[in-house]
Amino acid sequence: MKSSKHDYLSTIASYSQDAIDTTEYTYFKSSDNKIYHFSANKINYNGVDLGNIVELVLDSINSLKLDTIVIKQFKDNNENYVFDNGDQNLSNPFFIDNVEYNTNSDGIYNYYHYDGYNPKIQGSNKDCITVPFSGFINSKTSSPNISLDSIYIPYIASKNINLAIKSNSFHQARLLDTITLRFKVENKSCVANNGNVNVELKLNPLVRLISSSPNFSSKNGNALNFSITNLFNSQSREIQVKVVYPLNHFRINQIVKHYLKITPSTSDMDSTDNRDSIMQRIVYSYDPNAKFSLPEGRITSDLRKIKYTIHFQNEGNDDARNVTIIDTINLKMPVYSFQMIGATHPYSVSIQPGTNIVTWQFNNINLKPKSENEEKSKGYLVFEANVRGDLRVGDSIRNKAYIYFDYNEPIITNYAVITRVEEKGNGINVNKVVGQSNTIEVYPNPTSKVLNIKNLKNENVNFEVFNSLGQSVLKHNLNLSDTYLLNCENLSKGIYFIATSTGDKVKFVIQ
């Protein structure tokens, strides 16, 4: 027997029962007066791996024998690890040398190979309690008889019917948007059966119900009931319910829960996975495509450097494969001082020669649409540049950006504006981001984890934090010369304002 190439094989030759055992997985082809044997399984002869195709040398073919291993899988109802009365055949996946196979309706698979081969056979069924067989099986061919090695793989399950319910919903939900609650019912039984079950979704009583798919069979207050029928083992059904979180009933960062339950329809149903919940954190966002600077607004001191953040979000109905951002840097900021700080996704950046035009390319970014995945629909980049010369009182620096999603028309951001005012004016210091009358100091800004709010006065100061909707998210009293650490990881990304009891107002960004 010789290994061979198969690019010139053409015609089918007749089977030779005298020369070799054949099965539906074994056949021959002839070409150039030679005979080639094709096998679905790899051919191993006398410990040598010959691949799937070999050339047969006729003067030695009488010594060539096939061995057969029979794999038998069954549901061991009486748990004695023997296939006997009352047990059921299983058509389940299993593995031979890490390749997946399936037994037939009788629970049997015949594995054919040449003598001398030592395959590794493993049982597999992730959802059943099982006594798995795992090991190497030695071929036992002894000419002239062909051996028949049999492997029994018993599976033991405590219940015949195992229906499970699981939430597939996102962990965040946006105020005022139509939110889809998703959950799945799965038949995880070890044997073929037809599952019928009632599913209950108990909504938070303050949400507004829009629709469901499939339609609920009944409704009792805030509890929706769904009737699931004809769910065979290894099958699953997804149920979608659309709701709205009204602004007058829910607030940002509030945790909202909905409860799922399966009502068993038979006494032999496994109730292990019959309950789950949908838990969502309420969020809301600022303008999803916007540009911000640090500092921003009115400043009272000279300016040496400005940091810009450009946020973008896919608000379409399909993935955004590529995103392009174009920004013309103000002429007061020499483009050679431009420096990238970071971005949420891989990018390339270029500057058009002889101009202050900077272009960022996010190729293959594949941003999800906002309606599908809020978090994966967003991105941002951060850069900074020096300011040329002094910024005199009355001078302003204004910048905006153009954001292109694939080949759509550009989305033009707001202007980020910085204006130099006199020292007595109301503003912030560029280095410390300090509020009016130097009451509080806020840093770092922007932030993603912790914000330091420091009292610069020799007296107690009350402050309150508001989101971009004007909703209060925090109140606190600062003792004299004290610093409060605000944990921002529990707050949604966006712009926030701090108002103090002395009348100061300071803006900060969570990114």
Side-chain angles (χ1 to χ4, degrees):
M1 191 185 315
K2 302 176 182 178
S3 61
S4 70
K5 298 179 181 178
H6 52 271
D7 54 351
Y8 53 85
L9 302 178
S10 56
T11 60
I12 299 177
S14 61
Y15 291 112
S16 174
Q17 297 291 346
D18 294 336
I20 189 170
D21 291 349
T22 59
T23 74
E24 57 181 324
Y25 305 103
T26 303
Y27 61 93
F28 300 92
K29 285 186 178 180
S30 65
S31 178
D32 301 330
N33 295 320
K34 297 179 180 179
I35 298 177
Y36 299 90
H37 174 216
F38 287 68
S39 174
N41 305 318
K42 286 190 175 182
I43 300 169
N44 190 296
Y45 183 65
N46 289 333
V48 179
D49 186 355
L50 300 177
N52 294 78
I53 305 173
V54 296
E55 177 189 347
L56 301 182
V57 180
L58 297 181
D59 58 3
S60 64
I61 200 167
N62 287 330
S63 64
L64 186 61
K65 300 295 181 182
L66 277 180
D67 197 4
T68 305
I69 295 177
V70 177
I71 293 91
K72 171 74 173 182
Q73 297 192 103
F74 62 96
K75 183 175 184 297
D76 192 7
N77 289 318
N78 55 9
E79 302 184 12
N80 63 352
Y81 312 126
V82 176
F83 183 72
D84 52 19
N85 293 334
D87 291 342
Q88 296 168 280
N89 299 318
L90 289 184
S91 178
N92 270 345
F94 66 96
F95 294 90
I96 301 178
D97 291 336
N98 297 319
V99 178
E100 184 175 311
Y101 297 86
N102 275 279
T103 47
N104 60 23
S105 59
D106 294 326
I108 292 176
Y109 180 85
N110 293 315
Y111 182 77
Y112 301 92
H113 60 92
Y114 286 98
D115 58 304
Y117 184 45
N118 187 20
K120 182 178 182 181
I121 300 176
Q122 294 175 295
S124 172
N125 192 311
K126 63 179 181 179
D127 295 324
C128 297
I129 303 171
T130 178
V131 180
F133 172 84
S134 179
F136 290 92
I137 302 301
N138 286 306
S139 173
K140 298 178 181 179
T141 297
S142 177
S143 182
N145 298 318
I146 304 298
S147 69
L148 192 66
D149 304 325
S150 297
I151 304 303
Y152 286 84
I153 305 177
Y155 290 89
I156 302 173
S158 58
K159 295 288 185 180
N160 282 337
I161 302 176
N162 181 14
L163 298 178
I165 192 165
K166 185 68 176 176
S167 166
N168 288 339
S169 297
F170 299 128
H171 297 301
Q172 292 195 151
R174 182 166 166 160
L175 277 172
L176 305 180
D177 278 4
T178 298
I179 303 300
T180 301
L181 306 177
R182 294 180 171 88
F183 55 96
K184 182 175 67 172
V185 181
E186 182 180 6
N187 190 337
K188 300 169 64 176
S189 306
C190 295
V191 296
N193 59 54
N194 189 352
N196 301 314
V197 70
N198 180 74
V199 177
E200 179 188 83
L201 167 64
K202 184 172 287 188
L203 294 169
N204 181 290
L206 298 179
V207 303
R208 179 156 52 91
L209 174 64
I210 302 299
S211 64
S212 70
S213 177
N215 293 327
F216 48 84
S217 56
S218 64
K219 182 176 183 294
N220 182 15
N222 61 321
L224 308 179
N225 291 284
F226 299 85
S227 180
I228 305 297
T229 60
N230 300 323
L231 188 64
F232 288 91
N233 63 313
S234 301
Q235 290 183 339
S236 64
R237 301 265 176 85
E238 184 179 79
I239 299 174
Q240 298 184 8
V241 177
K242 294 185 177 181
V243 300
V244 170
Y245 294 95
L247 184 61
N248 56 333
H249 291 312
F250 298 93
R251 65 183 186 276
I252 293 176
N253 290 318
Q254 180 179 349
I255 301 299
V256 181
K257 280 189 176 182
H258 313 284
Y259 297 93
L260 300 165
K261 182 176 70 173
I262 287 179
T263 302
S265 57
T266 62
S267 59
D268 59 349
M269 178 177 286
D270 188 337
S271 60
T272 305
D273 303 317
N274 285 177
R275 292 178 182 269
D276 200 6
S277 63
I278 300 173
M279 185 171 67
Q280 294 185 317
R281 183 168 69 94
I282 303 300
V283 299
Y284 200 81
S285 73
Y286 50 90
D287 181 1
N289 300 286
K291 182 175 182 179
F292 311 105
S293 67
L294 182 63
E296 189 170 87
R298 291 175 293 180
I299 61 171
T300 60
S301 61
D302 197 13
L303 187 63
R304 297 302 178 199
K305 186 175 293 185
I306 302 176
K307 180 187 293 184
Y308 287 103
T309 301
I310 300 175
H311 290 266
F312 52 93
Q313 182 177 29
N314 177 14
E315 297 186 293
N317 56 11
D318 197 5
D319 290 5
R321 297 177 181 175
N322 304 297
V323 174
T324 303
I325 299 177
I326 299 177
D327 193 341
T328 301
I329 306 299
N330 192 283
L331 294 178
K332 292 185 174 68
M333 305 172 69
V335 74
Y336 59 77
S337 70
F338 167 87
Q339 182 178 351
M340 280 298 298
I341 295 177
T344 53
H345 300 79
Y347 65 90
S348 63
V349 60
S350 61
I351 301 174
Q352 186 173 325
T355 72
N356 269 33
I357 300 176
V358 182
T359 300
W360 292 267
Q361 284 289 152
F362 293 86
N363 292 327
N364 299 317
I365 189 172
N366 295 320
L367 280 183
K368 294 295 182 183
K370 180 182 70 175
S371 59
E372 181 179 327
N373 190 317
E374 177 79 18
E375 285 303 308
K376 292 186 178 180
S377 69
K378 297 177 181 178
Y380 66 85
L381 62 88
V382 184
F383 69 93
E384 65 180 10
N386 296 330
V387 177
R388 179 189 286 120
D390 294 332
L391 193 64
R392 297 170 297 180
V393 173
D395 286 348
S396 294
I397 294 179
R398 296 162 55 89
N399 268 101
K400 62 182 178 181
Y402 295 78
I403 303 172
Y404 296 80
F405 292 91
D406 293 323
Y407 300 104
N408 296 313
E409 292 295 316
I411 296 174
I412 305 173
T413 71
N414 58 291
Y415 276 103
V417 182
I418 300 170
T419 303
R420 174 76 184 273
V421 298
E422 294 182 6
E423 189 72 28
K424 64 180 181 180
N426 298 332
I428 58 175
N429 180 282
V430 63
N431 295 319
K432 294 187 176 181
V433 196
V434 180
Q436 180 184 9
S437 302
N438 293 330
T439 303
I440 58 173
E441 179 178 344
V442 177
Y443 62 93
N445 189 3
T447 185
S448 60
K449 295 183 178 180
V450 176
L451 184 76
N452 295 268
I453 305 174
K454 183 178 181 180
N455 183 2
L456 301 178
K457 302 286 287 184
N458 290 322
E459 60 186 56
N460 294 347
V461 174
N462 296 322
F463 71 86
E464 190 167 1
V465 179
F466 297 88
N467 61 24
S468 58
L469 294 177
Q471 298 168 322
S472 176
V473 298
L474 174 71
K475 292 181 180 180
H476 190 74
N477 178 54
L478 269 178
N479 296 325
L480 55 97
S481 301
D482 196 7
T483 299
Y484 178 79
L485 301 180
L486 174 60
N487 183 5
C488 297
E489 292 182 315
N490 296 324
L491 297 175
S492 57
K493 298 176 183 178
I495 302 175
Y496 292 80
F497 300 90
I498 301 176
T500 71
S501 55
T502 61
D504 299 340
K505 188 177 181 182
V506 178
K507 178 172 64 177
F508 68 94
V509 177
I510 299 177
Q511 64 182 22

